[in-house]
Amino acid sequence: MSIVTLVTDFGTGDGFVGEMKGVILTSCPAARVVDITHTVKPGDVASASWILERVWSRFPAGTVHLVVVDPGVGTDRVPLAALVAGRWFVGPDNGLLATTIGPVEEAYRIDARAMEIPPPSMTFHGRDLFAPAAAWLASERTPSGLGAPVEPAALIRYTPPEPVRVGDSVRGEILRTDHFGNLITNIPSGWVAPTALVEIGGEVISGLRTHYEMVEVGELVALIGSGGTLEVSVRSESAAARLGVGRGADVNVRVVRD
Amino acid sequence: MSIVTLVTDFGTGDGFVGEMKGVILTSCPAARVVDITHTVKPGDVASASWILERVWSRFPAGTVHLVVVDPGVGTDRVPLAALVAGRWFVGPDNGLLATTIGPVEEAYRIDARAMEIPPPSMTFHGRDLFAPAAAWLASERTPSGLGAPVEPAALIRYTPPEPVRVGDSVRGEILRTDHFGNLITNIPSGWVAPTALVEIGGEVISGLRTHYEMVEVGELVALIGSGGTLEVSVRSESAAARLGVGRGADVNVRVVRD
Amino acid sequence: MSIVTLVTDFGTGDGFVGEMKGVILTSCPAARVVDITHTVKPGDVASASWILERVWSRFPAGTVHLVVVDPGVGTDRVPLAALVAGRWFVGPDNGLLATTIGPVEEAYRIDARAMEIPPPSMTFHGRDLFAPAAAWLASERTPSGLGAPVEPAALIRYTPPEPVRVGDSVRGEILRTDHFGNLITNIPSGWVAPTALVEIGGEVISGLRTHYEMVEVGELVALIGSGGTLEVSVRSESAAARLGVGRGADVNVRVVRD
């Protein structure tokens, strides 16, 4: 299997992603390069984590997820390839490769000398180090040829903010405002009773619905989104614009499922 | 043949499209997934129809066009696969699958139980129902395995606004402002004489040209666009910005070809 | 090898790129179509040149680079396929196909009659002429079947602005503001000593660094970027926004490497 997916904060306007694609296809002509997103806000590890968590398991085992959101390029942060749940994650060691996805099975420090490729530039490891490493793995070359093994426990771990139970309530927050303006929280479905009161942006929504069209156009609705957490929407409009809130804002749920 | 094209209103920032790509490639590893657009305005069936009409026939017979603009997700609107002119169109029954493209040859109601896949979420049928169905068809599995057949005549049909002849004139409207600010109308080339007067946004353009550079930079020009209808442009500028008009605005053509 | 890369100014919102992809895959089903960018500013040949220069050599010999930034569509500007350094470049003769990449080895005037395809529309040669020509070359059909040969020396040549040495100084300019707001100049690394003074937007930066994180967040830094030229950045911010300058702005470097 030779799927290589791309998650970056490079945008598509400059050709940086194109350079990476060329490097991958030159080194592994059979690779199938799949764009996930290139519009992560520059350096926004939290957003990249949120996206990666949704996407990674939808691809088959053997997929290489190339994840380059790398504010620390050129510093001594470690360039890594990590095997988690049968997929390879390639990118800088800034937390994304050892998120809550699952235990890291093996990891290697990507080393241009070990791979016998030219020394990387100081500002574009996506092209010079991570794309070659992804192509290496997509070609089913021996992972240990990438460089020295790294103890999985040593990887930096990004932990998204977690909801907290306080008595009969749950206090969580908005993790994501999506393309439609839906406000996606970190409160898992199992913590929210169908009759719960959801407090967000100064409004209270009474009870969950199952889908957007159960309320009138322009009306607030709380439901369990496709990622399995509580989501607040406005039918056919942007809840973010309507409530004037976004990432990090508090969400309270009263009356919790037992 | 196993091309799967994607037309959605999901944007590419959240990874929703990535989830769909993963589902397709897991189920049909040989599929060739082709992005058409993900920036249809949320819920804008008219725009998706306009894009689909331009694109569908450029792909070979056997292509699966996955078209997910789905404001009614979770309601009882029918999830469909429809065969039109040798291509499969997969998406919600909201008019897009039975546009003016041609007669629907066969259609099936997509049913997770028939396909033996998990029940879909209530808010993301693109991932849970339509992507699996597209992969099913791209794998050349039996279409009738998707679910019960649907009578083609029962499909909802989106009809773009049509131009009207009034004496020696044609009254049409702008269907699309494109990326360049060109104003693309619904008036077919056969209804416009080369010497016609085109009235739009309070201006009158006298006669058609064949290409943009036949007028000076900044000047209005009327021509037959690459989709075969009357188009109004400003050379090297945005006609939409210049005239202050957009979709739905009136266009009148006087002196019609006999 | 049958990679076809796409650089256009079409945007992805209208389906124009989708039409081109369909034409390519219909004519050359084995082609691997790779998006580089579709957000070149309309008609901006200088930007397309900058992107192409970065990207072209990252793809293997045999790649077809389809480059359609074509303000002169429909005029007598020549539709071309040019072989440079083992890659084919297909697009209008507006300078992009004969940039500083290298000497043109062979070139052909793309001719619908020679290719036995329908006459092109007057406004969308990307779909009607360039995509078929790219598919032709990706199918490894005889290049001379595209049309009459063109003398390589006759191609229009786009020359990016070049830096000038004046005594101990170099006067260059900003060629590109990238996605991160980095200001990328035309001054090659070999012309800048590590201790140089860089004057830009009324500020003076003393000495080069090797990577962004060598300065504090919000601080200006000059370094050699991944394209091999002088670049001015602000760590974790946009240098373009901070300095209020962009493409074409002067950059002066004092004390030049001998």
Side-chain angles (χ1 to χ4, degrees):
Chain A
M1 181 56 72
S2 53
I3 296 172
V4 179
T5 81
L6 302 179
V7 173
T8 80
D9 62 357
F10 294 157
T12 57
D14 297 307
F16 300 147
V17 173
E19 289 182 83
M20 292 175 65
K21 290 177 176 178
V23 168
I24 293 166
L25 289 169
T26 298
S27 171
C28 178
R32 313 187 61 191
V33 179
V34 179
D35 293 303
I36 303 297
T37 186
H38 302 294
T39 59
V40 173
K41 207 182 112 210
D44 184 352
V45 167
S47 277
S49 166
W50 187 87
I51 293 165
L52 198 58
E53 289 249 8
R54 288 193 70 107
V55 169
W56 75 271
S57 68
R58 302 291 170 182
F59 284 85
T63 295
V64 181
H65 292 299
L66 186 47
V67 188
V68 190
V69 174
D70 191 14
V73 61
T75 66
D76 58 3
R77 64 96 189 88
V78 180
L80 278 182
L83 182 67
V84 187
R87 284 83 174 170
W88 283 100
F89 294 77
V90 175
D93 183 29
N94 59 16
L96 285 173
L97 310 193
T99 60
T100 53
I101 285 169
V104 175
E105 297 159 28
E106 340 169 15
Y108 300 90
R109 182 188 178 113
I110 300 166
D111 180 344
R113 281 160 306 184
M115 296 173 69
E116 297 181 349
I117 58 173
S121 69
M122 293 300 273
T123 58
F124 195 3
H125 286 186
R127 177 190 69 193
D128 298 335
L129 218 44
F130 299 123
W136 181 287
L137 293 165
S139 308
E140 301 187 352
R141 302 184 68 176
T142 315
S144 62
L146 292 171
V150 174
E151 186 55 47
L155 269 61
I156 294 172
R157 196 167 293 271
Y158 171 77
T159 310
E162 289 187 2
V164 179
R165 284 178 192 260
V166 184
D168 271 357
S169 294
V170 177
R171 175 170 296 230
E173 65 178 72
I174 298 170
L175 287 189
R176 181 87 184 167
T177 301
D178 76 10
H179 178 68
F180 300 95
N182 299 317
L183 300 165
I184 302 173
T185 79
N186 61 348
I187 303 174
S189 58
W191 290 27
V192 189
T195 55
L197 296 180
V198 177
E199 300 175 348
I200 183 170
E203 301 266 358
V204 178
I205 305 165
S206 190
L208 298 194
R209 300 289 188 275
T210 54
H211 54 272
Y212 306 119
E213 292 213 343
M214 288 180 76
V215 298
E216 298 299 310
V217 168
E219 209 177 302
L220 278 166
V221 56
L223 43 70
I224 301 302
S226 60
T229 63
L230 178 66
E231 181 177 323
V232 172
S233 304
V234 171
R235 179 173 161 197
S236 303
E237 292 178 17
S238 164
R242 165 75 171 282
L243 295 177
V245 295
R247 195 162 91 191
D250 283 344
V251 182
N252 287 288
V253 177
R254 284 193 278 153
V255 186
V256 181
R257 172 178 293 164
D258 297 323
Chain B
M1 181 55 72
S2 54
I3 296 172
V4 179
T5 81
L6 303 179
V7 173
T8 79
D9 60 358
F10 294 158
T12 58
D14 298 306
F16 301 147
V17 173
E19 289 182 83
M20 291 174 65
K21 290 177 177 179
V23 167
I24 294 166
L25 289 169
T26 298
S27 171
C28 178
R32 313 187 62 193
V33 179
V34 179
D35 292 304
I36 303 296
T37 186
H38 302 294
T39 59
V40 173
K41 207 182 112 210
D44 185 351
V45 167
S47 277
S49 166
W50 187 87
I51 293 165
L52 198 59
E53 289 249 8
R54 288 193 69 109
V55 169
W56 74 272
S57 68
R58 302 291 171 184
F59 284 85
T63 294
V64 181
H65 293 298
L66 186 47
V67 188
V68 191
V69 175
D70 191 15
V73 62
T75 66
D76 58 5
R77 64 97 189 86
V78 180
L80 278 182
L83 182 67
V84 187
R87 284 83 173 169
W88 283 100
F89 294 77
V90 175
D93 182 29
N94 59 16
L96 286 172
L97 311 193
T99 59
T100 53
I101 284 168
V104 174
E105 297 159 29
E106 339 169 15
Y108 299 90
R109 182 187 178 114
I110 300 166
D111 180 344
R113 283 161 304 183
M115 296 174 69
E116 298 181 349
I117 58 174
S121 69
M122 292 301 274
T123 59
F124 195 2
H125 286 187
R127 176 190 70 193
D128 299 335
L129 217 45
F130 299 123
W136 181 287
L137 293 166
S139 307
E140 300 187 353
R141 301 186 68 177
T142 315
S144 61
L146 293 171
V150 174
E151 186 55 47
L155 269 61
I156 293 171
R157 197 168 292 271
Y158 172 77
T159 311
E162 289 188 2
V164 180
R165 284 179 192 259
V166 184
D168 272 357
S169 294
V170 176
R171 176 171 295 230
E173 66 178 73
I174 297 169
L175 286 190
R176 181 87 183 167
T177 301
D178 77 10
H179 178 68
F180 300 95
N182 299 317
L183 300 165
I184 302 173
T185 78
N186 61 348
I187 304 175
S189 59
W191 290 27
V192 189
T195 54
L197 297 180
V198 176
E199 300 175 349
I200 183 170
E203 301 267 357
V204 178
I205 305 165
S206 189
L208 298 193
R209 300 289 189 275
T210 55
H211 54 273
Y212 307 119
E213 291 212 343
M214 287 179 76
V215 299
E216 298 300 310
V217 168
E219 209 177 304
L220 279 166
V221 56
L223 43 69
I224 301 302
S226 61
T229 63
L230 178 67
E231 181 177 321
V232 171
S233 305
V234 171
R235 180 173 161 196
S236 303
E237 293 178 18
S238 165
R242 165 75 172 281
L243 295 178
V245 294
R247 195 162 91 191
D250 283 343
V251 182
N252 286 288
V253 176
R254 282 194 278 153
V255 187
V256 181
R257 172 177 294 164
D258 297 322
Chain C
M1 181 55 73
S2 55
I3 296 172
V4 178
T5 80
L6 303 180
V7 173
T8 79
D9 60 357
F10 294 156
T12 58
D14 297 307
F16 301 146
V17 173
E19 290 182 81
M20 291 175 65
K21 290 177 176 178
V23 167
I24 294 167
L25 290 169
T26 298
S27 170
C28 179
R32 313 188 62 193
V33 179
V34 179
D35 292 305
I36 303 299
T37 186
H38 302 293
T39 59
V40 173
K41 207 182 111 210
D44 185 353
V45 167
S47 277
S49 167
W50 187 88
I51 293 165
L52 198 58
E53 289 249 8
R54 289 193 70 110
V55 169
W56 75 271
S57 67
R58 302 292 170 183
F59 285 84
T63 294
V64 180
H65 292 298
L66 186 47
V67 188
V68 190
V69 175
D70 191 15
V73 61
T75 66
D76 58 4
R77 64 96 189 86
V78 180
L80 277 182
L83 182 66
V84 188
R87 284 82 174 170
W88 283 100
F89 294 77
V90 174
D93 183 29
N94 59 17
L96 285 172
L97 309 193
T99 60
T100 52
I101 285 169
V104 175
E105 297 159 29
E106 340 169 15
Y108 300 91
R109 182 188 179 114
I110 300 165
D111 180 345
R113 283 161 304 182
M115 297 173 69
E116 299 181 350
I117 58 173
S121 69
M122 293 300 275
T123 59
F124 195 1
H125 286 185
R127 177 190 69 193
D128 298 335
L129 218 43
F130 299 124
W136 181 286
L137 293 165
S139 307
E140 300 186 353
R141 301 185 69 178
T142 314
S144 61
L146 293 172
V150 174
E151 187 55 45
L155 269 61
I156 294 171
R157 197 167 293 272
Y158 172 76
T159 310
E162 289 187 1
V164 179
R165 285 179 192 259
V166 184
D168 272 358
S169 294
V170 175
R171 174 170 296 227
E173 67 178 71
I174 299 169
L175 287 189
R176 182 86 184 167
T177 301
D178 77 10
H179 178 69
F180 301 96
N182 299 317
L183 300 166
I184 303 174
T185 78
N186 61 349
I187 303 174
S189 59
W191 290 27
V192 189
T195 55
L197 296 180
V198 177
E199 300 175 349
I200 183 170
E203 301 268 356
V204 178
I205 305 163
S206 189
L208 298 193
R209 300 290 189 276
T210 55
H211 54 272
Y212 307 118
E213 292 213 343
M214 288 180 76
V215 298
E216 298 300 310
V217 168
E219 209 177 302
L220 278 166
V221 56
L223 43 70
I224 300 302
S226 60
T229 64
L230 178 67
E231 180 177 320
V232 172
S233 305
V234 171
R235 181 175 160 194
S236 303
E237 292 177 18
S238 164
R242 166 74 171 283
L243 295 178
V245 295
R247 196 162 91 190
D250 283 344
V251 182
N252 286 286
V253 176
R254 282 192 279 152
V255 186
V256 181
R257 172 176 293 162
D258 298 322

